[in-house]
């Protein structure tokens, strides 16, 4: 099926036929989520004309490329492959690389929390925009998940450590990416469309890989080139919701209070004339991957049901709903008859109360395993497409109807592990983790359950 596995421990986890199939499917997921392929599908060159979707942009001056995100390097490789000598220079920030690709400089940033590398690299990128690009040039901006942390310059009166601490606390308390970005935009000079204030180019074309459920441009990497509909009052309510408002340093709380009073300029809104020079294109998202996987599964003999690309909520609770659908198919042949595959994508959250090691995908799988214990014929896999699941070295996990009984035989308590947010330790001992390493992409998480495939 695939000539080379992208799952490092493929052989180790393929101890049962259904696990081998699920691991193979997840390999296909990473193939479909490859940023290089996505950009090449959407960007075409005809002489000095760029064709992106149904838009044609003529390059009369120089073509520059900047970018930031987990997928930025692969996206840049695709741009250079297609556009070649049109590109005169640029700066791209990645999580793990420095050097050059052709005329473009690669700089390193920090992820998932912005640090000194992010700040230094972001200042260089901004300097490039203000000093190298003229009003007759075209700028391509490569945006993908992780861009919020990799590209950041704090507003006046804000320090990077303020953004770091608030981000950490919001993540720890279960805030989703939309909530995180709504707050971070208020503390940043470059988020919420504000980056456009530094760009003089005739045309700005953003190529975007979405890691946000629903693909709202304003929340992908905090929307540096997109109009922002969020407000100061929404940011305030999020801080209150997670108990952070009363814990803010007076200096930071004062900024939010001034914003609430209208004393500080907010993010750029959709009626701003600056957007007449901006084209934003989503070249890859979770839905596209789900559709490709469903097509493969049908070829392999499965009836497929794409539940949603909008999966959200507490991971252990979402798992119970997914398990209910799987059991309905197995026991009632509803809403489809087995053999069947249910597919979903999105991004759940974990409210950390325990002291264990885990991540949202593994926690979802653990809760799912508990819910389908003994239901012969049900198996599942859940994986983060970026290869990073919480604070663990795994991307996700594999489970079936025997996982709970096998755990008990190994002296493990599934319920206790779930309560302690210790899903990685649980699956690692059972050798049921999916390990990919850093994948260089991110289109949220993928969940697949096979029903009645192997009885």
């Amino acid at each position: 099926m695939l000539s080379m596995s992208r799952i490092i421990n493929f052989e180790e986890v393929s101890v049962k036929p259904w696990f081998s199939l699920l691991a193979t499917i997840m390999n296909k997921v990473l193939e479909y989520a490859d940023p290089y392929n996505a950009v090449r599908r959407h960007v075409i060159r005809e002489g000095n004309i760029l064709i992106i979707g149904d838009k044609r942009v003529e390059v009369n001056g120089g073509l520059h490329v900047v970018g930031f995100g987990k997928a930025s390097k692969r996206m840049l490789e695709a741009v250079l492959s297609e556009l070649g000598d049109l590109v005169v220079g640029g700066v791209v920030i990645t999580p793990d690389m420095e050097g050059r690709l052709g005329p473009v400089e690669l700089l390193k940033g920090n992820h998932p929390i912005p640090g000194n590398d992010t700040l230094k690299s972001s200042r260089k990128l901004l300097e490039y925009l203000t000093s190298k690009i003229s009003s007759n040039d075209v700028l391509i901006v490569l945006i993908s998940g992780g861009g919020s942390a990799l590209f950041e310059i704090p507003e006046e009166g804000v320090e990077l450590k303020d953004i770091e601490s608030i981000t950490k606390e919001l993540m720890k308390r279960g805030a989703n990416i939309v909530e995180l970005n709504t707050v971070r935009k208020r503390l940043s000079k470059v988020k919420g469309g504000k980056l456009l204030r530094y760009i003089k180019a005739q045309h700005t074309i953003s190529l975007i890989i979405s890691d946000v459920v629903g693909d709202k441009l304003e929340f992908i990497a905090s929307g540096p080139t997109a109009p922002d509909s969020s407000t100061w009052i929404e940011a305030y309510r999020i801080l209150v919701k997670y108990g952070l408002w009363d814990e803010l340093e007076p200096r930071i709380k004062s900024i939010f209070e001034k914003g609430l009073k209208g004393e500080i300029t907010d993010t750029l809104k959709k009626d701003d004339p600056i957007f007449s020079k901006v084209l934003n294109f989503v070249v890859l998202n979770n839905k596209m991957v789900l559709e490709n996987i469903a097509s493969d599964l049908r070829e392999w003999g499965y009836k497929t049901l794409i539940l949603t690309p909008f999966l959200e909520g507490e991971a252990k609770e979402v798992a119970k709903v997914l398990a209910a659908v799987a059991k309905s198919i197995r026991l009632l042949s509803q809403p489809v008859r087995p053999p069947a595959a249910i597919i979903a994508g999105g991004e759940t959250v974990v409210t950390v109360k325990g002291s264990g090691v885990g991540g949202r995908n593994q926690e979802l799988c653990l809760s799912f395993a508990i819910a389908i214990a003994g239901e012969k014929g049900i198996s599942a896999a859940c994986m983060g497409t970026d290869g990073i699941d919480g604070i663990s070295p795994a991307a996700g996990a594999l489970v079936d109807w025997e996982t709970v009984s096998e755990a008990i035989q190994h002296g493990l308590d599934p319920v206790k592990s779930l309560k302690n947010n210790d899903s990685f330790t649980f699956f690692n001992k059972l050798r049921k983790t999916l390990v990919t390493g850093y994948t260089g992409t991110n289109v949220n998480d993928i969940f697949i359950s096979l029903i009645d495939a192997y009885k």
Side-chain angles (χ1 to χ4, degrees):
M1 294 181 183
L2 272 183
S3 59
M4 181 181 70
S5 175
R6 301 180 185 214
I7 294 173
I8 296 169
N9 61 337
F10 184 93
E11 295 298 327
E12 180 184 66
V13 299
S14 298
V15 293
K16 300 176 181 180
W18 47 93
F19 283 165
S20 178
L21 180 55
L22 284 166
T24 297
I25 295 167
M26 287 306 187
N27 268 331
K28 295 288 286 184
V29 164
L30 296 177
E31 181 181 304
Y32 292 130
D34 189 329
Y36 183 92
N37 296 334
V39 171
R40 289 297 301 270
R41 284 194 298 268
H42 288 84
V43 178
I44 300 170
R45 173 185 177 182
E46 289 184 359
N48 68 332
I49 304 290
L50 305 185
I51 303 173
I52 304 171
D54 60 351
K55 304 294 184 182
R56 298 173 65 91
V57 177
E58 186 173 3
V59 181
N60 294 313
L63 177 63
H64 304 261
V65 182
V66 299
F68 31 85
K70 297 175 186 178
S72 58
K73 177 178 176 288
R74 287 290 284 165
M75 295 176 80
L76 174 61
E77 289 172 349
V79 167
L80 292 174
S81 175
E82 182 65 27
L83 305 182
D85 57 354
L86 280 180
V87 180
V88 298
V91 173
V92 168
I93 303 173
T94 81
D96 60 348
M97 294 196 68
E98 291 185 310
R100 298 193 73 85
L101 272 179
V104 179
E105 185 176 9
L106 293 176
L107 300 175
K108 186 177 178 180
N110 307 105
H111 184 273
I113 307 298
N116 289 331
D117 286 341
T118 285
L119 188 58
K120 183 172 72 172
S121 297
S122 299
R123 285 173 173 162
K124 282 190 175 181
L125 189 152
L126 209 61
E127 180 184 355
Y128 184 92
L129 289 178
T130 56
S131 64
K132 301 292 186 181
I133 299 176
S134 65
S135 59
N136 66 333
D137 290 342
V138 173
L139 173 67
I140 291 178
V141 185
L142 307 176
I143 300 173
S144 60
S148 288
L150 292 166
F151 180 53
E152 182 62 280
I153 297 178
E155 279 282 13
E156 299 300 328
V158 180
E159 297 180 16
L160 196 60
K161 67 178 183 180
D162 300 320
I163 299 175
E164 289 179 33
S165 62
I166 290 172
T167 299
K168 283 180 180 178
E169 281 303 315
L170 285 171
M171 291 173 68
K172 182 180 178 182
R173 299 181 194 199
N176 62 35
I177 192 169
V178 171
E179 292 171 321
L180 282 171
N181 289 353
T182 296
V183 172
R184 288 192 286 200
K185 288 174 189 177
R186 268 73 221 173
L187 304 174
S188 172
K189 279 187 174 182
V190 294
K191 294 175 168 49
K194 298 179 193 176
L195 178 63
L196 296 173
R197 292 174 176 157
Y198 302 94
I199 297 172
K200 300 190 290 282
Q202 183 180 16
H203 298 287
T204 297
I205 303 166
S206 293
L207 304 179
I208 302 166
I209 292 181
S210 173
D211 70 331
V212 172
V213 175
D215 302 332
K216 289 189 175 181
L217 299 183
E218 62 190 291
F219 295 115
I220 303 170
S222 299
T225 63
D228 178 43
S229 65
S230 71
T231 63
W232 282 101
I233 188 66
E234 289 172 351
Y236 163 75
R237 288 171 179 164
I238 291 164
L239 291 168
V240 171
K241 173 183 176 181
Y242 292 104
L244 273 177
W245 178 252
D246 291 330
E247 298 178 15
L248 292 178
E249 289 189 26
R251 172 174 48 84
I252 300 300
K253 182 179 281 190
S254 174
I255 291 172
F256 280 95
E257 288 171 340
K258 288 178 181 178
L260 290 168
K261 295 175 184 176
E263 296 175 6
I264 297 178
T265 303
D266 201 2
T267 51
L268 274 65
K269 307 306 177 186
K270 63 181 180 180
D271 58 352
D272 195 303
I274 200 168
F275 289 108
S276 64
K277 302 190 297 181
V278 180
L279 299 172
N280 289 309
F281 293 92
V282 174
V283 297
L284 182 64
N285 61 16
N286 188 274
K287 179 175 177 287
M288 297 174 193
V289 174
L290 296 184
E291 289 171 345
N292 281 317
I293 289 302
S295 177
D296 286 340
L297 283 163
R298 285 192 293 271
E299 288 186 9
W300 296 337
Y302 288 88
K303 301 176 187 71
T304 58
L305 181 64
I306 297 179
L307 293 179
T308 179
F310 305 125
L311 206 61
E312 293 182 287
E314 192 71 33
K316 62 183 179 183
E317 301 301 327
V318 170
K320 295 175 185 177
V321 177
L322 294 170
V325 177
K327 287 189 284 187
S328 179
I329 293 172
R330 177 185 179 271
L331 299 171
L332 304 176
S333 295
Q334 294 179 347
V336 295
R337 297 179 64 85
I342 58 176
I343 311 166
E347 189 163 305
T348 59
V349 296
V350 172
T351 302
V352 179
K353 295 181 179 178
S355 58
V357 178
R360 61 183 181 267
N361 288 283
Q362 292 162 94
E363 181 141 329
L364 188 150
C365 272
L366 178 51
S367 180
F368 186 90
I370 293 169
I372 57 98
E375 298 289 350
K376 189 175 182 181
I378 300 178
S379 58
C382 191
M383 182 181 76
T385 55
D386 60 356
I388 303 164
D389 192 33
I391 58 172
S392 82
L398 298 161
V399 297
D400 65 8
W401 69 94
E402 297 176 322
T403 298
V404 167
S405 60
E406 290 171 359
I408 292 170
Q409 292 171 15
H410 283 78
L412 298 171
D413 185 334
V415 174
K416 185 177 179 181
S417 295
L418 184 62
K419 192 172 293 186
N420 194 36
N421 303 119
D422 203 20
S423 54
F424 170 74
T425 302
F426 178 90
F427 286 119
N428 193 45
K429 288 182 178 178
L430 294 177
R431 297 186 177 181
K432 287 183 170 63
T433 60
L434 288 172
V435 181
T436 64
Y438 175 66
T439 64
T441 190
N442 188 17
V443 287
N444 300 124
D445 305 331
I446 302 290
F447 170 87
I448 300 168
S449 178
L450 305 179
I451 301 96
D452 228 11
Y454 301 95
K455 277 194 172 183

